[in-house]
Amino acid sequence: MLILAVALLLANRDTTAFPEQVPGLTEACLEAAVAAGNVTDTDDSHKYICAGDTATRLWAFLERAEVRSYEQDTPEGRWLSREFPLGGCFKRVRLPGGEPATDGLSCTIWVPRPIVGSPMGKP
């Protein structure tokens, strides 16, 4: 009986591999960005920024999937970045003075805008 219970627990685990979880996590980020009003337009895309629990889940997933991070130094401090299709997550790890950061995690999704004159962006 114990073996059956363990087998059921293992069968119910979320074992969906990368990248199959990305669409659901991306959708959650898009919804959170729209709800928070964190949507802007760039020359070639719509930019959606999510933070909080949604960004934390997406960052943790990218970490578990062993998506390699890279460092960026900016005037706001040092950031770790992880990219995924159509976006990336950015986590501040150091403040400008070198102290450890305790906040600063967001994920950004860029949805391309149709280009006028292209088949998708008809005039």
Side-chain angles (χ1 to χ4, degrees), residues 3 6 8 18-19 22 31 35 37 41-42 56 62 78 82 92:
I3 293 173
V6 170
L8 288 173
F18 185 82
V22 173
E31 288 175 357
D41 290 327
T42 68
T56 300
L62 295 171
R78 175 168 284 176
R82 286 192 162 96
R92 184 165 53 179

Side-chain angles (χ1 to χ4, degrees), residues 35-118:
N38 290 330
V39 181
T40 58
D41 290 327
T42 68
D43 288 341
D44 57 358
S45 69
H46 301 284
K47 183 176 169 182
Y48 297 79
I49 301 174
C50 65
D53 276 353
T54 306
T56 300
R57 285 193 311 273
L58 187 47
W59 179 268
F61 171 72
L62 295 171
E63 200 168 40
R64 283 190 312 274
E66 298 179 2
V67 172
R68 194 170 181 185
S69 64
Y70 60 92
E71 291 186 5
Q72 292 180 306
D73 287 319
T74 71
E76 294 84 24
R78 175 168 284 176
W79 297 77
L80 289 181
S81 302
R82 286 192 162 96
E83 294 179 347
F84 56 90
L86 295 178
C89 290
F90 312 95
K91 182 177 186 176
R92 184 165 53 179
V93 293
R94 292 257 177 235
L95 299 174
E99 305 87 14
T102 58
D103 65 346
L105 172 62
S106 66
C107 297
T108 302
I109 297 172
W110 293 274
V111 177
R113 295 165 59 119
I115 299 170
V116 175
S118 72

Side-chain angles (χ1 to χ4, degrees), residues 11-25 61 64-65:
N12 287 331
R13 281 189 6 198
D14 188 4
T15 58
T16 307
F18 185 82
E20 286 78 10
Q21 287 185 12
V22 173
L25 292 167
F61 171 72
R64 283 190 312 274

